[in-house]
Amino acid sequence: MRGLPGRPGGLHAGTGPGRRAPRPGRPAPEPGRLPPEAAIERDGGDVKALYRRSQALEKLGRLDQAVLDLQRCVSLEPKNRVFQEALRHIGGQIQEKVRYMSSTDAKVEQMFQILLDPQEKGTEKKQKASQNLVVLAREDSGAEKIFRSNGLQLLQRLLDTGEADLMLAALRTLTGICSEHQSRTVATLSVLGTRRVVSMLGVDSPAVSLAACHLVQVMFDALKEGVKKGFRGKEGAIIVDPSRELKVLISNLLELLTDEGVSGQGRDNSLTLLTKVVPRKSPKDPNNSLTLWVIDQGLRKILEVGGSVPDAPGELTVTANSCMSASILLSKLFEDLKCDAERENFHRLCENYIKSWFEGHGLAGKLRAIQTVSCLLQGPCDTGNRALELSGVMESVITLCASEQEEEQLVAVEALIHAAGKAKRASFITANGVSLLKDLYKRSEKDSIRIRALVGLCKLGSAGGTDFSMKQFAEGSTLKLAKQCRKWLCNDQIDAGTRRWAVEGLAYLTFDADVKEEFVEDEAALKALFQLSKSDERSVLFAVASALVNCTNSYDYEEPDPKMVELAKYAKQHVPEQHPKDKPSFVRARVKKLLATGVVSALTCMVKTESPVLTNSCRELLSRVFLALVEEVEDRGTVVAQGGGKALLPLALEGTDTGQTKAAQALAKLTITSNPEMTFPGERVYEVVRPLVSLLHLNCSGLQNFEALMALTNLAGISERLRQKILKEKAVPMIEGYMFEEHEMIRRAATECMSNLAMSKEVQDLFEAPGNDRLKLLVLYSGEDDELLQRAAAGGLAMLTSMRPSLCSRIPQVTTHWLEILQALLLSPSRELQHRGAVVVLNLVEASREIAGTLMESEVLEILSVLAKGQEDPVGRVAATCLGKAVEYGLIKPSQDGE
């Protein structure tokens, strides 16, 4: 046995550990002549060279290669203790390294090394590392690890590279770090700098700008949450006043609006952020100081963006959507004001800004002033209308319409179109500007001018709305205008920004039922409309939604009282008339044509839009269209198949009160007639409960109450988890209230819903609680003449007496007519009612011998005997079980034939 050098039985002196004696016939190599690599290459079995190389590799940290050499040594000399000890030692090192590498700290360090390595540029390894970093940051523990591992400084280095992919990875990782964590957010702003973070919005890459927008939004949410929680972060550490950081962020966003070198996408994202974070979420919040501060500090900057003409020399870089984004922000700020003094200040600031450009800046100043007025007319229109009344503004608009310069004409014609929004101004322009618009439409060589002039004519031609008797133009003129709009809409050679105006024209002209009929018959025009709604031209959404609302007649319409109509005619007052083609049969036909052309997929894409253009008003229009589409039962399957159920959920949870109610009603209709688990797969079915419960409020119509109750009945019958969700939304008191409703269908639906909810322990506890009449109501309803109400109440009674036998003893106490009600159920011609009655009787018999005796002394015994004779169905079996239990009690004796 070979051992360590110097020990008995060891190797020759000076040979070193593991060195073999030279084989006979082979000369021993001179010490130090050959390096291990050369020695191994010369003799692969040279254990000394293998051992030395493993030591060198270990020192270099290449443990995986070192262990291979040691394993070779052990295989050559399996009894050598030196090799075995070295192999155990290096094995322990490898295990420790594996443990470290599998830890989050090592993963973070490794990912940053790959991302910051210039040799890895554009490799798949680098892409995977960036994705892993983002995924890790989405978990709170992972985000904390990155934060504590000098992550902010390393992410700053990624941002400094200027590479779009690395910047995206850094921004998305920062989003995970800051999400719902106030102290990390403040630390991030401190390390990176607020100005630096906000400046990322202005880069040329749309993807990077959008990622920066999301990051700033997350920061706002974290800081606002901190303000509510009293300056405390998620982990409870007291930090700087977050309201100060909030104002610094908003101040930098306002500065970004007018900075040179900022991309148009960056300005749009900045406006979007201000729209989301500045106005109050609810009018119930009394504090609108942030809005007042933004108006004071940044109103002129917002107006400067809104008044900039795209692609004009010397102007700010803006997109086609910038004016609309500015209009929405201005509208939100104006709506957030609480008193007349605040509104008057807003009007004054806007008017002073317009005057400052209109006077003393020549033609360029007048163009900017008119563009600003257009922006205001699309947003806070009261302010825009006041600006139009300023001296010389309207005259300049009319004058510039006749300009030979296309840019000047575009600005003026658009202002004229927006100015025709109010009825009194529309009548003024009808009298003074129609000839001008017609002249522009006929003689202009530019399609961009012609299409805008056409929209102006469309808007003026629709001033009468749906009133058939109010015609602004001669018979057939609106059809000609609509035909031209459809022609431009279908022209793929025209850019999307110009085709948008064709949709605007149709949105106005479709008030006319003749135009609606021609439009839905034009399949190419419908498909072009839906395709445009899915494009990047976001400003078209409202116009598309308006046109669809008109085609489906989903606006609010009340049939006038005939007596009031006669009275109005006698008083020689104007009475609106409905177009013959707006009758329900025509509307149903139009809806079916829209469904066949793919309207649902277009609506679904519109709902998914993350843009300020998707305002609450626009959401309301989409909700109205969806409600019209699901009106007929046979159409609901098509809507569900094309993703309509999924699209309705966000509409029912966010928007105007009317919009949310309409969307909730559409959800109720879908839930009633289709399997909710198929319509709303997975966790989505639980999101449906809250909108449905909202329809139970007293301010909703009887039809909405009824449909909500029917939908909740279906949901309550699916699973205990859904029943718990309904209970959590506090629906039970409202459902109980509707059980007393005079309307028989609502009363019946509420009883059915309560019967399904009775499968839950909490509802059973309510019935079992002393001092209430819930059980009495079910017993009495089981004896009503309405068979469907009887069935619902008796089903609930059967369920409760099965689950809670203690309730059985209370049934004889709630009413003296309990026996007659049970007998009536057993004698009913309906097998379903007989079965329910028999189950209730069985539960009573099994619960108490005393009650069983009372039942056997009445006519119930005879009825059960008849039901049990020769019956193989469930009713017969339950009746036989009742009689068997009575025999067991000794209350009755079996007949001679053993039955």
Side-chain angles (χ1 to χ4, degrees):
M1 175 179 174
R2 294 186 176 91
L4 293 171
R7 292 184 181 177
L11 300 178
H12 294 284
T15 59
R19 177 70 181 271
R20 295 182 301 173
R23 295 177 185 174
R26 177 181 292 180
E30 295 180 19
R33 285 291 298 275
L34 291 174
E37 291 286 349
I40 294 166
E41 188 176 341
R42 184 173 176 180
D43 181 7
D46 190 340
V47 289
K48 181 176 180 180
L50 286 167
Y51 179 73
R52 285 180 175 170
R53 188 170 72 173
S54 74
Q55 287 180 310
L57 290 169
E58 181 183 353
K59 292 291 184 185
L60 291 172
R62 291 152 65 180
L63 301 178
D64 53 337
Q65 296 176 23
V67 79
L68 292 174
D69 284 349
L70 282 173
Q71 286 172 344
R72 174 75 175 150
C73 290
V74 171
S75 67
L76 289 170
E77 295 185 7
K79 296 183 179 180
N80 192 311
R81 293 178 182 175
V82 175
F83 296 156
Q84 292 171 358
E85 188 65 33
L87 189 60
R88 278 195 295 271
H89 173 69
I90 205 167
Q93 285 184 283
I94 289 174
Q95 288 180 358
E96 184 63 32
K97 187 174 181 180
V98 168
R99 275 197 300 271
Y100 174 73
M101 293 304 291
S102 62
S103 69
T104 308
D105 292 339
K107 287 179 180 177
V108 171
E109 184 181 342
Q110 188 181 16
M111 284 184 278
F112 275 118
Q113 283 177 352
I114 295 169
L115 291 171
L116 293 169
D117 186 356
Q119 302 298 323
E120 297 283 355
K121 189 172 183 180
T123 63
E124 185 180 345
K125 193 175 180 182
K126 200 165 191 173
Q127 186 180 6
K128 192 172 182 180
S130 65
Q131 291 172 351
N132 290 342
L133 196 64
V134 174
V135 171
L136 187 64
R138 286 176 183 160
E139 298 292 331
D140 190 61
S141 57
E144 188 66 24
K145 289 283 186 185
I146 296 171
F147 180 74
R148 294 187 182 280
S149 304
N150 201 31
L152 295 180
Q153 285 76 9
L154 293 169
L155 290 167
Q156 189 173 20
R157 288 175 60 189
L158 287 180
L159 291 173
D160 291 339
T161 61
E163 296 180 31
D165 291 344
L166 294 182
M167 293 171 76
L168 269 175
L171 289 167
R172 288 168 180 166
T173 305
L174 285 168
T175 301
I177 290 173
C178 298
S179 181
E180 298 181 359
H181 204 295
Q182 184 198 344
S183 58
R184 287 204 298 252
T185 299
V186 174
T188 302
L189 289 171
S190 175
V191 172
L192 299 181
T194 306
R195 183 65 183 168
R196 173 69 194 282
V197 172
V198 172
S199 67
M200 300 302 296
L201 286 162
V203 299
D204 291 330
S205 169
V208 174
S209 178
L210 195 61
C213 178
H214 191 204
L215 169 61
V216 178
Q217 173 72 60
V218 164
M219 287 179 161
F220 270 119
D221 292 342
L223 291 172
K224 277 197 166 184
E225 196 63 29
V227 173
K228 293 177 186 175
K229 290 184 177 179
F231 310 159
R232 287 181 177 268
K234 190 172 183 179
E235 70 290 348
I238 298 177
I239 60 169
V240 191
D241 179 358
S243 60
R244 176 185 167 278
E245 298 290 335
L246 205 62
K247 283 195 174 181
V248 171
L249 258 180
I250 292 173
S251 178
N252 277 280
L253 284 174
L254 292 171
E255 290 294 331
L256 187 77
L257 291 177
T258 53
D259 278 356
E260 293 184 7
V262 174
S263 65
Q265 179 80 19
R267 292 189 216 282
D268 288 357
N269 286 333
S270 183
L271 290 167
T272 301
L273 281 168
L274 290 167
T275 303
K276 287 181 178 179
V277 302
V278 174
R280 294 170 293 167
K281 295 294 182 187
S282 169
K284 295 177 182 178
D285 181 3
N287 184 13
N288 69 339
S289 59
L290 199 57
T291 297
L292 297 175
W293 183 80
V294 168
I295 289 172
D296 185 51
Q297 299 292 321
L299 184 60
R300 290 182 68 87
K301 293 181 173 66
I302 299 167
L303 290 171
E304 192 169 341
V305 177
S308 297
V309 181
D311 303 323
E315 294 278 2
L316 296 173
T317 306
V318 292
T319 68
N321 295 324
S322 296
C323 182
M324 179 61 74
S325 298
S327 298
I328 292 168
L329 174 56
L330 290 167
S331 179
K332 292 284 186 183
L333 293 174
F334 186 76
E335 289 170 4
D336 203 40
L337 300 177
K338 295 192 295 184
C339 62
D340 290 342
E342 292 175 357
R343 296 185 190 94
E344 188 59 37
N345 178 58
F346 186 92
H347 292 319
R348 180 177 53 78
L349 290 171
C350 292
E351 287 171 13
N352 289 343
Y353 177 83
I354 292 166
K355 285 179 184 176
S356 68
W357 279 102
F358 197 75
E359 299 166 0
H361 286 83
L363 183 58
K366 284 184 169 58
L367 279 176
R368 175 176 276 279
I370 293 170
Q371 180 73 1
T372 307
V373 171
S374 288
C375 176
L376 289 168
L377 285 167
Q378 294 175 79
C381 56
D382 290 342
T383 308
N385 283 317
R386 282 184 53 160
L388 272 178
E389 293 169 2
L390 293 173
S391 176
V393 173
M394 199 65 195
E395 291 80 357
S396 297
V397 171
I398 299 293
T399 303
L400 286 172
C401 282
S403 171
E404 295 180 358
Q405 297 294 322
E406 182 182 0
E407 295 79 10
E408 296 170 8
Q409 275 189 314
L410 282 174
V411 172
V413 173
E414 285 185 21
L416 196 63
I417 293 168
H418 298 311
K422 290 284 184 181
K424 64 175 183 179
R425 202 171 302 285
S427 58
F428 166 78
I429 298 171
T430 303
N432 299 282
V434 169
S435 57
L436 176 62
L437 290 171
K438 284 182 179 178
D439 193 52
L440 285 172
Y441 172 61
K442 290 177 181 177
R443 298 187 182 182
S444 177
E445 297 177 359
K446 302 286 186 181
D447 280 345
S448 57
I449 301 294
R450 294 184 67 214
I451 198 167
R452 283 166 173 79
L454 177 64
V455 171
L457 292 170
C458 294
K459 196 168 186 178
L460 297 173
S462 64
T466 56
D467 187 355
F468 181 52
S469 62
M470 291 282 287
K471 292 291 182 183
Q472 300 294 317
F473 294 156
E475 189 71 33
S477 297
T478 51
L479 290 174
K480 289 179 182 177
L481 293 173
K483 185 177 180 181
Q484 185 60 47
C485 283
R486 297 202 309 274
K487 181 181 175 183
W488 268 322
L489 177 61
C490 297
N491 189 348
D492 294 333
Q493 305 302 316
I494 303 175
D495 64 281
T498 304
R499 287 164 67 202
R500 168 179 76 87
W501 288 98
V503 183
E504 292 271 359
L506 287 169
Y508 291 112
L509 292 176
T510 45
F511 281 118
D512 188 324
D514 289 319
V515 174
K516 299 177 198 180
E517 287 295 316
E518 284 195 1
F519 185 37
V520 296
E521 292 292 341
D522 191 341
E523 188 175 335
L526 284 177
K527 287 185 176 178
L529 179 76
F530 300 153
Q531 197 61 41
L532 192 59
S533 71
K534 299 175 186 178
S535 70
D536 293 333
E537 184 59 47
R538 302 287 85 191
S539 55
V540 78
L541 294 183
F542 192 86
V544 172
S546 299
L548 292 174
V549 165
N550 292 338
C551 288
T552 56
N553 280 35
S554 47
Y555 41 73
D556 292 327
Y557 175 77
E558 289 186 9
E559 197 71 36
D561 186 350
K563 292 181 179 178
M564 295 302 293
V565 171
E566 291 298 323
L567 187 61
K569 287 179 179 178
Y570 178 76
K572 297 183 179 179
Q573 295 294 314
H574 174 71
V575 179
E577 295 179 21
Q578 188 181 28
H579 197 290
K581 291 183 180 177
D582 273 334
K583 291 180 178 176
S585 58
F586 285 93
V587 176
R588 283 195 293 272
R590 289 200 293 265
V591 166
K592 291 191 181 299
K593 286 170 186 173
L594 287 171
L595 284 168
T597 319
V599 66
V600 178
S601 61
L603 291 172
T604 304
C605 290
M606 291 165 72
V607 172
K608 291 179 181 176
T609 302
E610 290 189 6
S611 167
V613 176
L614 189 65
T615 59
N616 288 341
S617 300
C618 188
R619 287 173 175 275
E620 181 183 322
L621 295 178
L622 296 177
S623 299
R624 289 177 179 276
V625 177
F626 267 119
L627 183 57
L629 295 178
V630 300
E631 193 64 39
E632 298 295 321
V633 175
E634 60 267 23
D635 296 333
R636 294 174 191 174
T638 305
V639 174
V640 171
Q642 296 180 12
K646 181 181 177 182
L648 275 166
L649 282 170
L651 294 176
L653 297 170
E654 184 182 351
T656 63
D657 291 340
T658 303
Q660 290 184 62
T661 301
K662 299 284 184 187
Q665 190 177 1
L667 283 173
K669 289 178 184 290
L670 293 178
T671 310
I672 291 168
T673 54
S674 57
N675 183 355
E677 292 177 298
M678 299 290 288
T679 308
F680 312 103
E683 296 293 310
R684 202 169 289 133
V685 71
Y686 302 101
E687 297 176 35
V688 181
V689 174
R690 182 171 296 173
L692 294 180
V693 172
S694 69
L695 292 178
L696 297 179
H697 292 295
L698 294 175
N699 56 352
C700 294
S701 67
L703 177 61
Q704 291 167 344
N705 299 153
F706 172 72
E707 289 177 333
L709 289 166
M710 292 285 286
L712 288 170
T713 301
N714 281 359
L715 293 177
I718 292 174
S719 69
E720 179 59 28
R721 190 178 167 193
L722 270 169
R723 288 192 286 275
Q724 290 298 323
K725 178 67 174 173
I726 294 170
L727 294 173
K728 188 179 177 182
E729 295 295 335
K730 300 179 180 177
V732 171
M734 290 185 278
I735 295 169
E736 283 184 325
Y738 285 115
M739 289 177 72
F740 294 94
E741 179 67 37
E742 290 184 8
H743 197 290
E744 59 180 18
M745 293 178 71
I746 295 177
R747 185 169 65 242
R748 181 199 311 148
T751 306
E752 288 175 351
C753 190
M754 185 59 71
S755 296
N756 279 0
L757 288 173
M759 289 185 275
S760 289
K761 176 182 176 297
E762 290 80 0
V763 177
Q764 294 164 17
D765 290 341
L766 291 175
F767 276 89
E768 200 172 24
N772 71 80
D773 291 332
R774 294 184 177 93
L775 187 64
K776 179 179 181 179
L777 187 65
L778 281 186
V779 174
L780 292 175
Y781 277 174
S782 299
E784 285 286 312
D785 294 334
D786 182 354
E787 184 181 324
L788 294 174
L789 178 60
Q790 265 188 302
R791 189 171 65 183
L797 202 57
M799 176 70 65
L800 286 166
T801 51
S802 297
M803 309 282 288
R804 294 293 175 95
S806 58
L807 290 173
C808 295
S809 60
R810 290 173 52 183
I811 289 179
Q813 301 168 13
V814 295
T815 175
T816 56
H817 302 288
W818 68 281
L819 271 175
E820 290 91 329
I821 291 170
L822 290 177
Q823 290 169 15
L825 287 173
L826 293 172
L827 290 171
S828 171
S830 167
R831 299 299 287 178
E832 289 187 10
L833 284 176
Q834 282 185 343
H835 186 233
R836 284 164 169 75
V839 170
V840 175
V841 170
L842 175 61
N843 293 335
L844 292 174
V845 168
E846 289 181 337
S848 167
R849 187 179 186 282
E850 182 183 350
I851 298 175
T854 306
L855 288 167
M856 294 304 117
E857 291 171 2
S858 68
E859 295 179 6
V860 171
L861 174 59
E862 186 179 345
I863 299 169
L864 289 174
S865 301
V866 172
L867 292 174
K869 276 188 179 178
Q871 297 287 348
E872 296 299 329
D873 64 350
V875 177
R877 287 195 290 271
V878 174
T881 307
C882 289
L883 294 172
K885 192 68 178 176
V887 170
E888 186 182 323
Y889 283 147
L891 298 173
I892 59 174
K893 293 181 180 179
S895 58
Q896 293 179 354
D897 56 4
E899 293 183 359

